[in-house]
Amino acid sequence: MGARKSEMAKKFKAEKQQKAVAVLRDCPTSPRKMRLVADIIRGVEINKALGILRYSKKEASIRVEKLLKSAIANWEAKNPSERLEDTKLCVKEIFVDGGRMLKRIQAAPQGRAHRIRKRSNHVTIVVDKMVIAENK
């Protein structure tokens, strides 16, 4: 029982070594707008993803590009023995969660007031080695 458990622990540790995570918190963009950009690069190889983000017209793509570069740097720090050019990395996971909401008041007609909700979000990127499926 103990030997099997230690093997599982070693396997889990090896898998964790290959992954690198970067998190962006309280980004002042609505989660809906950020998800449009995140959906474009999900599962894409990192060089292609950086190209997509560089030439995207979306304002959110600037922040996601910076976050992706951070995740790549985190992977390089975790794996100093491996070269980035030799390994095929991809955006394994990317998800956008809602952050805090700033509530503001805007003047409305006839002495009324409307509530403005300034949304923010949290973005998480996981970079991992690409798994190539072999057809037999």
Side-chain angles (χ1 to χ4, degrees), residues 65-131:
E65 181 184 4
K66 190 173 179 181
L67 184 65
L68 180 57
K69 286 179 181 176
S70 174
I72 294 165
N74 291 345
W75 184 87
E76 286 177 327
K78 268 185 158 183
N79 302 288
S81 61
E82 296 185 50
R83 286 188 51 209
L84 184 64
E85 294 80 23
D86 298 339
T87 55
K88 282 279 225 177
L89 290 179
C90 72
V91 179
K92 189 80 164 185
E93 291 177 45
I94 180 168
F95 52 91
V96 181
D97 298 322
R100 68 170 173 217
M101 206 180 307
L102 301 175
K103 292 177 178 156
R104 300 289 180 255
I105 301 294
Q106 184 179 31
Q110 297 181 352
R112 294 189 180 98
H114 289 312
R115 173 84 41 96
I116 301 292
R117 294 187 306 247
K118 295 192 172 200
R119 300 172 189 273
S120 66
N121 63 61
H122 307 310
V123 186
T124 306
I125 292 184
V126 178
V127 174
D128 197 0
K129 280 189 177 177
M130 231 174 187
V131 178

